[in-house]
Amino acid sequence: MKYIIAMIQPHKLPDVKEALAEIGVRKMTVTNALGCGAQGGYTEVYRGVPSEVNLLKKIKLEIGVNDDYADKTVKAIVKGAKTGEIGDGKIFIFDLPDCVRIRTEENGSDAIG
């Protein structure tokens, strides 16, 4: 099993969800996040005072999948999130040693769904 964390642009969330739905992945956790990377940031002026904004809005997706879905899931996220510009995001893939579905107490691949 794999635990996939993706950081994407907020406006690309609908495209990523659609690409994931096409391969049958509908279970995910979505969180608003702030972060910075190669984009750096920008300067904005509020009431005449310039301020540096270096933490930009991002969306964090967390998805647990069985091993046979890992590559398909990563490809779907890239398909939905990629614009070719700096700031498209990153995907992190971790081994997931176990998972437990609380309702049924199933564990492992059965619990991921």
Side-chain angles (χ1 to χ4, degrees), residues 6-21 28 30-32 39 57-61 63 75-91:
M7 305 301 287
I8 63 169
Q9 294 284 352
H11 69 276
K12 297 302 287 180
L13 180 59
D15 296 336
V16 171
K17 284 175 47 181
E18 182 178 322
L20 288 168
M28 68 188 82
V30 179
T31 309
N32 288 312
Q39 281 176 287
K57 292 180 182 177
K58 302 288 180 185
I59 294 291
K60 179 180 179 182
L61 295 174
I63 306 168
K75 287 177 183 171
I77 294 169
V78 169
K79 176 184 171 186
K82 184 176 181 178
T83 67
E85 301 294 324
I86 289 175
D88 278 350
K90 291 256 189 319
I91 301 172

Side-chain angles (χ1 to χ4, degrees), residues 31-108:
T31 309
N32 288 312
L34 296 173
C36 63
Q39 281 176 287
Y42 59 93
T43 302
E44 73 178 22
V45 179
Y46 179 72
R47 294 187 178 182
V49 178
S51 65
E52 181 81 15
V53 178
N54 60 4
L55 293 176
L56 305 174
K57 292 180 182 177
K58 302 288 180 185
I59 294 291
K60 179 180 179 182
L61 295 174
E62 298 173 77
I63 306 168
V65 295
N66 288 312
D67 286 329
D68 55 335
Y69 269 84
D71 287 339
K72 291 190 279 189
T73 301
V74 169
K75 287 177 183 171
I77 294 169
V78 169
K79 176 184 171 186
K82 184 176 181 178
T83 67
E85 301 294 324
I86 289 175
D88 278 350
K90 291 256 189 319
I91 301 172
F92 304 98
I93 305 160
F94 300 92
D95 286 326
L96 184 60
D98 202 3
C99 174
V100 177
R101 180 177 291 160
I102 295 172
R103 177 178 52 89
T104 61
E105 298 183 27
E106 293 170 292
N107 67 331

